[in-house]
Amino acid sequence: MRKGSDSIQKPDAAQSALVLMVAMIAARILGFVRDGVLYARFGLVRYTDAYQAAFTLPDTIYMLLVGGAFSAAFIPVFSHYLAKDEREDAWKVASLTFQAVSWAMLLLIAGAFAFAPQLLAVFFPRFDAATLALTVALTRIMLFQVIFMALGGICAGILQSHHIFAPSAWSGVVYNLLIIAFGIAFAGPIESRFPGFGIAAFAFGVVAGAVANFLIQGLSLRRVGIAYRFSLDFRHPGFRKMAGLMLPVLLGLSANEINLIVNMSLASGLGEGLLSALKLAQRFMQLPVSIFAISIAMTLFPILNEEAAQERLADFCRDYAKGFKAILFICIPCSLFLAVLAVPMIRLLFQNGLFGAEDVAATAFALYFYAVGIFAQGGIHLTSRAFYALQDTATPVKMAVVGAAVNIGGSILLLRLLSQGGIAFAYSLAGIVNLVLLLFVLRRRAGHIHGAEILRTAVKTLAASVPAAAAAWLFVYGWSILIGSAGKLAQGAELLAAGWIACAVFFLLARRFRMPEVDWFLNRMKKRFMPGL
């Protein structure tokens, strides 16, 4: 790959980002299908609250060891060796990491399995005895997924260091497909006693999906030439460097996980089904972040690593700024569109079976407040990776701790006033505070990050997004009066038309404002989906 070129406008980086986006769109669509199957079957009740709460221990273990700390520490070290063509040392670090993570995971999983009742009673003190017992049982099933997700995460880190991203994204498609298949095939009557079928079928599907996730990424390592070898040389300088980088990230992730657990604990006392409504709204909020922002951040991360390793800070800052502007250009309109189209979107996708109009309203209310911070969550993913590329994992940790404090304090203050919306609003405010602090420190650390250009892009994007969102809202309002929303056909036509109107107005205004991101985005879409034109 040519070094020092134009970041997201590099053909290879842009192509990688688009492949990731397509795969993530497919995975997210299937994620909504999965949730649709779950909530149509059960509604927003204590069963689904227990299912959502059961992810707490497995997700915490995974995020602490692999999901965040590993990518922050392993990829820069592994990429550094690759950039210097020191493949033997690179694979020795990878081999040591496989062994260390495997043993750590087994110990943590065993402890979580044994003490699940005590831990979950602390995390969810407001659950009644039956809901807590179901949460414990589902948690013990889901804990088996963690080891496979961890090994898959290591494989993903190796692949991404080689600028190979598709297996990581497409494995998410298979993961969701298996959960859907298990839920449809094996969920028994809602009244059935546990263990058995019922909602446990979805938990078994999670484990099957994790196994497939690992196999897809593990087999993909053949593309880069697997050079794994058993070693106990944990004094290797690369492994020690990685461990040193991981420590501050672990501290930051611990603060973040405590923050999430506190929010879940608060939500568990809101009333039956509201924890599930909050989680579903969070899934909608994560849609543009996962599809676009993370795709851009992931494909830029190896490039930023190379530029930082070669001390090309001017290229580093330029590429970072281009990535950040692209994220703002996508996330700002998405946040407004999700807010104004929340009810028609949730109604179309989920109002079915036991998921009724009240559940739509409860989910939409949380989504309004989550939408406020979508741009910040997208910016955090890229900016944190910029620090990781500079081998500075301490700064994102400090900012994460500040953000966690804002989140927890805000949730407690806003909970009585806004119910589940208060938790969502506090999360958004914490993300904005986190991003602002990261940008301030990055500017001091890296120098000129093209802040004026970033600010101009944000202002122009907002100026184009507000009229577009207003046009979509007026259309939905008029549709509800003239046609109504009875039946999935009418709901689908309403949402499709409103979405097209919002996008058309936005892109027309953005072009009017002469934003270069318009051509970048449209050209990438054209090359990906209409290559012959």
Side-chain angles (χ1 to χ4, degrees):
M1 180 178 59
R2 183 168 60 91
K3 296 179 176 64
S5 52
D6 293 329
S7 183
I8 58 172
Q9 295 190 9
K10 289 182 180 181
D12 54 353
Q15 182 71 12
S16 297
L18 284 169
V19 169
L20 265 178
M21 287 179 191
V22 172
M24 286 185 173
I25 287 170
R28 288 292 167 171
I29 290 173
L30 285 172
F32 284 119
V33 173
R34 178 194 71 199
D35 288 345
V37 171
L38 174 70
Y39 292 123
R41 176 70 187 81
F42 296 97
L44 297 185
V45 292
R46 67 181 183 88
Y47 293 92
T48 53
D49 283 349
Y51 174 77
Q52 298 295 351
F55 282 95
T56 302
L57 283 179
D59 284 355
T60 299
I61 294 172
Y62 173 76
M63 284 302 299
L64 287 178
L65 283 188
V66 177
F70 173 79
S71 61
F74 174 80
I75 294 178
V77 173
F78 191 81
S79 298
H80 183 77
Y81 281 121
L82 291 181
K84 293 187 173 183
D85 200 25
E86 298 175 358
R87 292 186 59 83
E88 183 177 350
D89 281 315
W91 276 101
K92 189 167 186 179
V93 171
S95 301
L96 289 166
T97 303
F98 265 109
Q99 290 148 209
V101 169
S102 296
W103 283 110
M105 281 290 177
L106 289 173
L107 290 173
L108 286 172
I109 290 168
F113 192 95
F115 296 103
Q118 293 82 3
L119 291 170
L120 292 171
V122 173
F123 295 160
F124 304 102
R126 301 181 185 184
F127 273 174
D128 58 54
T131 305
L132 184 62
L134 180 58
T135 304
V136 171
L138 294 174
T139 295
R140 283 175 164 166
I141 295 171
M142 291 187 190
L143 279 169
F144 289 99
Q145 71 153 325
V146 180
I147 185 66
F148 297 102
M149 293 298 288
L151 295 177
I154 297 173
C155 296
I158 295 171
L159 292 170
Q160 289 168 25
S161 297
H162 287 85
H163 303 264
I164 298 173
F165 304 95
S168 305
W170 288 112
S171 62
V173 173
V174 177
Y175 175 82
N176 284 318
L177 278 173
L178 285 171
I179 298 175
I180 293 167
F182 270 68
I184 292 174
F186 302 117
I190 190 171
E191 297 85 4
S192 63
R193 291 177 58 83
F194 190 86
F197 294 108
I199 202 164
F202 290 89
F204 285 114
V206 168
V207 178
V211 173
N213 180 290
F214 166 59
L215 290 176
I216 289 171
Q217 296 182 94
L219 293 173
S220 298
L221 287 180
R222 292 178 297 181
R223 296 172 60 183
V224 300
I226 301 175
Y228 173 84
R229 63 184 183 187
F230 181 79
S231 174
L232 295 176
D233 182 20
F234 293 108
R235 292 181 175 272
H236 187 279
F239 184 82
R240 294 176 66 181
K241 176 69 172 177
M242 187 192 73
L245 291 172
M246 280 186 71
L247 182 60
V249 181
L250 281 171
L251 295 174
L253 286 172
S254 298
N256 187 56
E257 289 302 312
I258 291 171
N259 168 42
L260 293 175
I261 291 169
V262 169
N263 284 352
M264 291 281 282
S265 177
L266 291 171
S268 70
L270 291 175
E272 186 177 13
L274 288 183
L275 184 150
S276 296
L278 189 69
K279 292 289 289 185
L280 183 56
Q282 189 179 65
R283 195 177 301 281
F284 277 102
M285 178 270 294
Q286 290 172 341
L287 191 63
V289 176
S290 298
I291 292 175
F292 299 110
I294 293 180
S295 298
I296 292 169
M298 285 175 62
T299 52
L300 272 179
F301 190 30
I303 297 171
L304 296 176
N305 270 314
E306 292 174 7
E307 291 168 345
Q310 297 165 8
E311 298 183 353
R312 293 160 40 216
L313 285 182
D315 291 339
F316 177 94
C317 293
R318 184 186 66 249
D319 287 347
Y320 166 79
K322 288 182 178 179
F324 195 92
K325 289 190 292 182
I327 288 172
L328 291 176
F329 181 76
I330 294 169
C331 287
I332 290 175
C334 283
S335 64
L336 292 174
F337 298 167
L338 279 176
V340 299
L341 299 177
V343 170
M345 182 171 53
I346 297 167
R347 181 172 56 207
L348 171 65
L349 295 176
F350 292 101
Q351 188 170 336
N352 186 34
L354 295 179
F355 194 102
E358 290 185 0
D359 299 324
V360 171
T363 306
F365 186 69
L367 182 55
Y368 297 148
F369 295 99
Y370 271 134
V372 174
I374 288 175
F375 80 95
Q377 296 303 321
I380 288 170
H381 280 285
L382 177 61
T383 310
S384 295
R385 283 172 169 82
F387 279 102
Y388 300 154
L390 295 169
Q391 300 197 8
D392 176 5
T393 55
T395 297
V397 169
K398 296 173 184 176
M399 303 309 118
V401 171
V402 174
V406 172
N407 194 351
I408 293 172
S411 295
I412 294 172
L413 291 174
L414 295 171
L415 185 65
R416 291 184 178 275
L417 180 63
L418 298 171
S419 187
Q420 73 271 26
I423 296 175
F425 194 29
Y427 182 87
S428 294
L429 293 176
I432 294 170
V433 170
N434 191 345
L435 178 61
V436 169
L437 293 174
L438 284 172
L439 289 172
F440 177 77
V441 178
L442 182 63
R443 183 178 180 277
R444 295 181 58 186
R445 172 73 188 273
H448 182 47
I449 61 171
H450 305 274
E453 294 179 20
I454 292 172
L455 183 59
R456 280 196 297 270
T457 296
V459 171
K460 289 182 178 180
T461 303
L462 185 62
S465 300
V466 171
W473 182 86
L474 288 171
F475 176 85
V476 169
Y477 181 75
W479 182 284
S480 65
I481 295 174
L482 298 175
I483 299 176
S485 301
K488 294 298 180 184
L489 183 60
Q491 293 171 10
E494 174 190 24
L495 184 61
L496 182 63
W500 275 110
I501 289 171
C503 290
V505 173
F506 172 75
F507 278 106
L508 285 173
L509 288 174
R511 187 175 290 279
R512 177 76 175 176
F513 296 152
R514 299 179 180 178
M515 299 184 68
E517 290 79 14
V518 176
D519 292 329
W520 170 80
F521 184 82
L522 294 179
N523 287 338
R524 297 285 78 79
M525 294 295 106
K526 181 180 177 181
K527 288 180 180 179
R528 179 62 185 171
F529 298 108
M530 296 178 289
L533 296 181

